[in-house]
Amino acid sequence: MMILRAPHAHEGISIKKVMFKVNIALLPAVLLGILQFGMPALFLVVTTILSALACEVISLKLNPRAQGKINDGAAILTALILAMSLPPHAPLWLGALGSAFAIFFGKQVYGGLGQNLFNPAMLARVVLLISFPVEMTKWITPSAFYDGIWYKMGVDGVSGATTLGLSKEGAETGFHWLSHVLGTSTGSLGETSAMLMLLGGVWLIHQQVFTWHVPLATLAGCLLPGTAMWLSDPAAIPEPLAQLTSGGLLMCAFFIATDPVTTPTSNRGKLIFGAGTGFLIFVIRAFGNFPEGVAFSILIMNAVTPLIDQYTRPRMYGYGLKTEEK
């Protein structure tokens, strides 16, 4: 989205169409995660979505003047992003509680769709991570989901640490780039397949759902200092390809940081926002207590979005800011 002066011409793009495209772009990664982690992951996704829709209905009944509609796809997108950031075998109540918090306190309390200050899904994830750290850090090693005959849906839960988690503990990560690219690594549903995240994000750029500014700046903001630190001290941080394909960096760059509601509107502002988000992810990964910092970084940058917008707003053609203010 860009701020432009009138007159405007409608391109025929609606919120419903945008939400539909983003949900479609996420679907391959969701399906792959369900195939890998089995029925518990499927139940978690369904529960999270149903909880979000139920809370959306209740909120709109309580406040009919709130923005948005139940069928605009926004609640489903919030639930999908939240579910993809949770451990695949997380308790169902955790997904339901997270969705309820995201819809009630992350979105509807501000007045509904387009009014929220923070990304609802990331706000809920941070609350869950702080309130239920044990349930939020039980990662499951994906099984061989294809045995040569058919895909297995029943998967025994085998605990395993993520690549970033092992690196944070100073252990040998055993990073295998092909596993992370294809999507057979340990992590949340949204962390497993770098390839599907990248393909979905590029397709959304091609569909003009968002521009390249935020994704590119987010990746550069994290990988440039991360690569420099890895070159100076390889033991302190995973190699650049591991930083890119592990954790939620790609999901953040294409599906979270590009939220048009909570990010700046000008292209210059988007570059600043993305670079700041990526840099904070690097800082938290390298020096923080948590192995991943996507949710915290997004919320911090959401808080400074109004300030970025104030200093990067486009000028009216032919006029300077001082002239405009007069």
Side-chain angles (χ1 to χ4, degrees):
M1 184 173 66
M2 297 177 63
I3 292 180
L4 298 174
R5 303 293 181 183
H8 303 291
H10 200 288
E11 295 184 0
I13 299 175
S14 65
I15 292 174
K16 193 172 182 179
K17 286 183 179 178
V18 170
M19 295 297 172
F20 176 77
K21 289 183 178 180
V22 180
N23 285 325
I24 289 296
L26 280 171
L27 197 56
V30 174
L31 293 177
L32 178 62
I34 292 172
L35 288 172
Q36 290 182 99
F37 297 107
M39 297 303 287
L42 173 62
F43 291 148
L44 179 64
V45 172
V46 172
T47 300
T48 308
I49 291 175
L50 291 179
S51 175
L53 290 173
C55 294
E56 186 91 326
V57 171
I58 294 171
S59 300
L60 293 176
K61 289 287 185 183
L62 293 175
N63 182 18
R65 299 175 62 183
Q67 301 295 315
K69 299 178 180 177
I70 185 62
N71 63 346
D72 60 18
I76 295 177
L77 178 58
T78 297
L80 270 183
I81 291 176
L82 175 63
M84 295 179 73
S85 72
L86 300 177
H89 286 199
L92 299 185
W93 61 263
L94 196 72
L97 180 64
S99 275
F101 190 90
I103 298 299
F104 284 134
F105 297 99
K107 177 181 175 182
Q108 294 296 341
V109 73
Y110 294 103
L113 182 66
Q115 310 300 310
N116 48 292
L117 299 178
F118 300 97
N119 185 294
M122 291 299 98
L123 187 64
R125 174 175 164 72
V126 167
V127 170
L128 294 179
L129 186 60
I130 295 174
S131 304
F132 309 100
V134 176
E135 289 80 2
M136 287 291 289
T137 52
K138 284 185 177 179
W139 303 108
I140 301 298
T141 302
S143 71
F145 58 90
Y146 184 65
D147 64 2
I149 300 177
W150 52 42
Y151 293 101
K152 294 185 289 187
M153 294 299 290
V155 180
D156 295 329
V158 180
S159 297
T162 63
T163 299
L164 294 179
L166 290 172
S167 176
K168 180 60 69 177
E169 296 171 358
E172 179 65 38
T173 62
F175 171 69
H176 300 288
W177 69 270
L178 189 59
S179 173
H180 285 72
V181 170
L182 295 180
T184 56
S185 59
T186 303
S188 68
L189 269 65
E191 297 180 13
T192 53
S193 178
M195 180 178 64
L196 292 180
M197 283 291 153
L198 182 61
L199 290 176
V202 171
W203 180 73
L204 289 176
I205 293 177
H206 178 264
Q207 292 293 307
Q208 298 182 333
V209 173
F210 51 76
T211 63
W212 55 268
H213 300 82
V214 170
L216 185 63
T218 302
L219 296 177
C222 179
L223 294 179
L224 289 180
T227 302
M229 184 173 179
W230 176 73
L231 289 173
S232 63
D233 185 6
I237 194 169
E239 61 187 88
L241 189 56
Q243 297 178 44
L244 175 65
T245 58
S246 304
L249 179 59
L250 282 170
M251 181 177 172
C252 172
F254 290 105
F255 294 96
I256 301 174
T258 51
D259 176 17
V261 177
T262 56
T263 55
T265 51
S266 68
N267 288 338
R268 194 153 53 102
K270 291 174 184 175
L271 290 173
I272 296 172
F273 179 90
T277 301
F279 182 72
L280 288 174
I281 293 173
F282 156 72
V283 169
I284 294 174
R285 283 181 174 184
F287 307 106
N289 292 326
F290 293 97
E292 181 58 281
V294 166
F296 293 105
S297 303
I298 285 292
L299 296 185
I300 293 172
M301 292 308 296
N302 285 163
V304 299
T305 290
L307 187 64
I308 297 174
D309 267 335
Q310 180 178 346
Y311 287 99
T312 60
R313 59 179 176 175
R315 300 183 181 185
M316 183 182 294
Y317 183 74
Y319 293 89
L321 284 177
K322 292 182 179 179
T323 304
E324 184 180 354
E325 289 171 356
K326 291 177 181 179

